[in-house]
Amino acid sequence: MTNVELTLEAGQSAARDGAVTNSGAGALNWTAVVTSAGTPWLSVTPTSGVAPGNFQIRINTSGLLANTYNGVVQVAGQTGVANSPQNITVRIIVTAPPFRVEPSAIQWFYEIGTPSGTRTVQIFGPNLNWHAGVVPMSSVQRIRQAIAAGSPLTVAGSQLLIGAGPEPDSVPIVDWVDVNPPSGMSTTDGSPVVLSLVGNRVPRGPSQVAVVFVTEGVASPRAAVVDLDVLAF
């Protein structure tokens, strides 16, 4: 084994097996260690043995952002052994797992004083934690720009926060649309989220809001928006 090259989604793990052989006489003791600095995502086990023997290079991308990472595992025999040490380069390309919500737009006709019924959306993604908040349509362009730029979004109580730092931009949460559950974990097959109207708070006439689903970790995109057009009469 001279190198390892993999493409993984953030949060995924992988392993590759290697072998140490002995073509000479006598016992051959060997060690295997990670020699690259700043690569906590890379490990090897076992770290020593007697040839012939096997080792496993392990990769864990939990906590890594989408990027390219490089590391080195060195396998060495005892002093005087030919072809020792051997450096194994490990290169991983970490990609952001996909995140989406369907449908992306909903129309709702509501007769005030009657049951509003519900609407259901599906959240798709490989085990991504998310939170949701409903915001005025006037803020959606700003939110979409933040999503495109990769800026952090956070649902915090009665506000959706845009950006990081001590003073992030804030958007008020609309209180007349209920999201159930307000947080959860996505699945690749889709997990349902039920929307309902809080009848005594729905403004009369046409209203436009958006439900913003924000992931906690690395995802592409990091948030998804569902436009909601409501006509209350």
Side-chain angles (χ1 to χ4, degrees):
M1 178 188 292
T2 56
N3 60 75
V4 175
E5 203 164 317
L6 295 171
T7 298
L8 299 168
E9 287 184 356
Q12 289 185 327
S13 300
R16 291 295 183 269
D17 295 325
V20 181
T21 60
N22 182 5
S23 58
L28 171 59
N29 297 308
W30 57 268
T31 59
V33 295
V34 175
T35 57
S36 50
T39 53
W41 49 269
L42 180 62
S43 62
V44 61
T45 186
T47 56
S48 62
V50 179
N54 298 304
F55 60 91
Q56 187 176 75
I57 293 174
R58 296 178 178 177
I59 298 163
N60 185 347
T61 66
S62 296
L64 296 183
L65 300 177
N67 210 332
T68 299
Y69 300 85
N70 296 284
V72 177
V73 173
Q74 186 177 89
V75 181
Q78 59 209 40
T79 303
V81 173
N83 298 319
S84 174
Q86 294 285 320
N87 287 328
I88 301 170
T89 60
V90 181
R91 175 184 173 90
I92 61 171
I93 299 173
V94 179
T95 61
F99 179 71
R100 74 181 195 277
V101 181
E102 295 181 357
S104 60
I106 294 173
Q107 288 188 324
W108 206 324
F109 297 95
Y110 169 56
E111 184 177 353
I112 295 174
T114 66
S116 67
T118 61
R119 302 292 186 272
T120 300
V121 298
Q122 297 285 337
I123 315 295
F124 295 89
N127 300 322
L128 300 171
N129 291 315
W130 56 267
H131 287 78
V134 184
V135 300
M137 187 60 72
S138 59
S139 64
V140 168
Q141 182 177 357
R142 193 164 22 132
I143 292 170
R144 292 189 190 277
Q145 290 172 343
I147 294 172
S151 300
L153 297 175
T154 307
V155 178
S158 61
Q159 295 181 322
L160 186 146
L161 305 179
I162 304 174
E167 297 183 2
D169 194 5
S170 64
V171 174
I173 297 295
V174 172
D175 66 355
W176 52 268
V177 179
D178 183 67
V179 183
N180 185 29
S183 62
M185 178 178 289
S186 64
T187 64
T188 54
D189 295 329
S191 53
V193 175
V194 178
L195 309 179
S196 60
L197 303 180
V198 182
N200 61 343
R201 298 178 184 171
V202 179
R204 184 179 293 274
S207 301
Q208 290 183 312
V209 295
V211 188
V212 183
F213 295 87
V214 181
T215 62
E216 293 183 1
V218 179
S220 179
R222 295 182 64 176
V225 178
V226 177
D227 295 337
L228 186 59
D229 290 328
V230 178
L231 177 59
F233 56 93

